[in-house]
Amino acid sequence: MQRLTNKVAIVTGAAQGIGAAFAKGLAAEGAKIVIADVGDGTNTANEIIRSNGAAIYVKTDVSSAEQVKAMVERAVAEFGAVDILVNNAAVFAKLGPKNFQEISSAEFDQVMAINVRGPFECAKAVAPIMAKQGGGKIVNIASSTVFKGVPNLLHYVSSKGAVVAMTRCLARELGDQKINVNAIAPGLTMSDGVLNQPGYTPEYIQQNMGGRALKRKQVPADLVGAMVFLCSSDSDFMTGQTMAVDGGNVMH
Ligand SMILES: NC(=O)c1ccc[n+]([C@@H]2O[C@H](COP(=O)([O-])OP(=O)(O)OC[C@H]3O[C@@H](n4cnc5c(N)ncnc54)[C@H](O)[C@@H]3O)[C@@H](O)[C@H]2O)c1
C-alpha cells in the first residue's frame, strides 16, 4: 500500500544526488512531485513520469524569495495543494575543505543565503497553504557534521546547525496548524555532489566510515526510508526532531 497517495511534495535540490532519491522515493509512495532546483531537474521529473508518477520541474533558486513564491504558486496551479516540503537544496561538496581563516565573507554569506535562508523562504511560502489545508509536513536536511563539529567546513557546518535550530523554532510556531517540522541529518553520502568532488578521496571516505557502527559507504537510498516516514502519517506525533541517519556515527 502506498503511504503518500495524492500528496503533493516540493523537493528542493532534486535535480541530482540525495534530493533526486527523495523525489523518486516519495513518488514511489504516490506523491506528486515538484522539483525545485537551480540546476536542470528535467531528468528526475522524466524518470518519475516514466514510472507512472506525476512530477514537474520548476527552475528555482531557493535563496530568492520571488522565485520561491512563483515556484509554490506553480505547484498549487499544477497539483492543487502543497502537503510536503523537503528542504534539501544546499551548497556542500563543491565548497571543499578550508581552514576557517580562508573562508571569505562573500562565501560565508552565500552558504548562509542558500542553506539557511533558502529553507526559511520555502517554509514561509508553503506554511500558509498547509495551514489552510489543515496540516502538512516539512522535512529539513541538516547534517551529522553538526554533532561532530567537523573542521575545515565552518560555514557549511554552521549553516546546518542553523537548520537544526530552525527546525525546532518552526515546529513550535507551526504545531497549532498541524504542520510537523523535522530534520534528517545524513552522514557522508555518495551523492553526485560528493562523487564529482575529487577532494573526497578513498582515504577520506574510508576514515569517515571507520567512525560508524555500520561500516560501509552511505548512499542516497539509505535516507529514503526515514524521509517517507517523516512525510507520512506514521510520524504524526513527532515534531522538532533531528534524526541522524549515518550508520551510527553520531548518537544523540
Ligand atoms: N552528500 C553528503 O555527504 C551529505 C551529508 C550530509 C548532508 N547533506 C545534505 O544533503 C543535501 C543534498 O546533498 P547532495 O550531496 O545530494 O548535494 P548535490 O550537490 O549532489 O545536490 C545538491 C542539489 O541542490 C541544488 N542547489 C544548489 N543550490 C541551489 C539553490 N540555490 N537553489 C535550488 N537548488 C540548489 C543543486 O543544483 C543540486 O541539484 C544537502 O542539503 C546537503 O547539505 C549531504
Side-chain angles (χ1 to χ4, degrees):
M1 197 187 68
Q2 291 183 312
R3 285 189 279 169
L4 302 172
T5 307
N6 288 329
K7 298 288 184 194
V8 179
I10 294 171
V11 186
T12 70
Q16 64 171 45
I18 295 171
F22 286 149
K24 289 182 252 177
L26 296 177
E29 292 290 337
K32 299 170 187 171
I33 308 296
V34 178
I35 294 152
D37 200 304
V38 75
D40 187 1
T42 315
N43 282 349
T44 313
N46 286 344
E47 263 191 73
I48 291 170
I49 293 164
R50 273 199 301 275
S51 307
N52 297 320
I56 56 167
Y57 158 56
V58 187
K59 187 174 170 66
T60 315
D61 179 344
V62 294
S63 66
S64 159
E66 294 74 31
Q67 289 185 33
V68 167
K69 187 170 170 281
M71 177 273 292
V72 172
E73 282 170 2
R74 175 80 201 287
V76 174
E78 191 77 23
F79 294 133
V82 179
D83 303 290
I84 295 162
L85 166 67
V86 178
N87 272 320
N88 166 83
V91 268
F92 164 50
K94 72 173 185 190
L95 294 170
K98 264 189 208 106
N99 178 283
F100 84 96
Q101 296 285 1
E102 291 161 14
I103 297 173
S104 69
S105 305
E107 187 172 273
F108 186 95
D109 286 350
Q110 193 209 14
V111 170
M112 292 298 157
I114 297 171
N115 295 12
V116 184
R117 199 163 52 70
F120 161 77
E121 303 291 4
C122 292
K124 216 172 154 188
V126 302
I129 297 166
M130 290 179 175
K132 216 164 146 192
Q133 288 169 194
K137 305 271 190 181
I138 298 177
V139 185
N140 298 323
I141 304 307
S143 165
S144 66
T145 58
V146 171
F147 306 104
K148 295 196 282 187
V150 167
N152 298 321
L153 214 49
L154 177 140
H155 44 359
Y156 175 77
V157 179
S158 303
S159 76
K160 293 299 183 175
V163 167
V164 172
M166 194 191 305
T167 299
R168 296 172 181 175
C169 299
L170 284 173
R172 296 266 181 214
E173 292 205 28
L174 295 174
D176 288 342
Q177 281 94 64
K178 295 194 169 56
I179 301 171
N180 302 50
V181 189
N182 291 292
I184 293 175
L188 180 65
T189 304
M190 300 303 108
S191 65
D192 295 293
V194 168
L195 292 172
N196 293 330
Q197 173 54 252
Y200 289 98
T201 59
E203 295 72 33
Y204 182 90
I205 293 167
Q206 195 65 36
Q207 192 193 11
N208 182 281
M209 270 163 38
R212 292 180 177 158
L214 306 171
K215 291 182 182 51
R216 67 159 171 81
K217 283 184 186 172
Q218 178 163 6
V219 293
D222 288 317
L223 295 153
V224 173
M227 177 57 69
V228 171
F229 167 69
L230 290 176
C231 293
S232 76
S233 58
D234 290 350
S235 58
D236 274 354
F237 202 54
M238 202 178 143
T239 196
Q241 306 305 310
T242 298
M243 288 170 67
V245 181
D246 68 348
N249 196 324
V250 300
M251 299 185 184
H252 72 109

